[in-house]
Amino acid sequence: SALDITRPHIKQGWVCSPESTNSTLAQEEGLTAPLCAGPCNDLGCNGCLEGTCISDRNPDANFSPNILNSVVFLITSLTQVTTFAVNYKGRPYMQSLIEHKPLLYVLIGATLTLYACCLEIFPWFNDYLQLTPMPNDEFKFQVLGYMVADLLGAMFVEKFASVLFYNAACRNATDKLLA
């Protein structure tokens, strides 16, 4: 199986639940699943999240939403939108982002949608996307802070790099053409 190939020291992928004493993968062999009430020390488990040992997940199992993959989805999706917006160069070859209204609206809409998902403004939409509710408001605003920092940080780095390198690169190219 994929688990044996990627982590040969772990013999089973444990999926435990409070009502069962055996994992779903080791049930035939009668092996006891690690307890999911707190930190698991068996087979390198680093604790449990929603009844599944974190480090011993079965990669072949069906998708089960949890807080980790919800946060990863939100941050990576925003990073992709931000990367596209920041790296879009308009003039002289294309319309600027401000002039390219459809693209601008899509990028703004995607960003606002991801922020709304993080803040859980539309719970039905989060359920549709299979996003797990945030455990508390403090965590929710911490993730939102990371998302805002990602957006602003990418914009700052792009502007800083443009000021630092773009004019010099254009000047060098122009000097070579005129020489």
Side-chain angles (χ1 to χ4, degrees), residues 29-129:
E29 298 176 21
L31 298 174
T32 305
L35 298 174
C36 287
C40 301
N41 296 321
D42 296 345
L43 301 175
C45 186
N46 294 327
C48 298
L49 183 64
E50 297 180 7
T52 303
C53 292
I54 294 170
S55 66
D56 295 334
R57 290 178 186 256
N58 179 359
D60 298 324
N62 291 335
F63 175 75
S64 63
N66 60 46
I67 193 68
L68 176 64
N69 55 32
S70 295
V71 170
V72 168
F73 169 77
L74 291 171
I75 291 178
T76 57
S77 297
L78 183 73
T79 300
Q80 289 177 350
V81 171
T82 300
T83 301
F84 194 89
V86 164
N87 289 327
Y88 181 85
K89 297 294 179 200
R91 299 280 176 205
Y93 305 107
M94 299 181 288
Q95 295 176 326
S96 72
L97 190 57
I98 301 299
E99 294 170 341
H100 196 321
K101 297 291 185 197
L103 179 61
L104 178 65
Y105 294 152
V106 166
L107 293 174
I108 290 172
T111 302
L112 292 177
T113 300
L114 290 167
Y115 286 149
C117 287
C118 181
L119 293 173
E120 300 172 336
I121 294 173
F122 306 109
W124 59 268
F125 190 65
N126 283 21
D127 290 341
Y128 177 76
L129 293 177

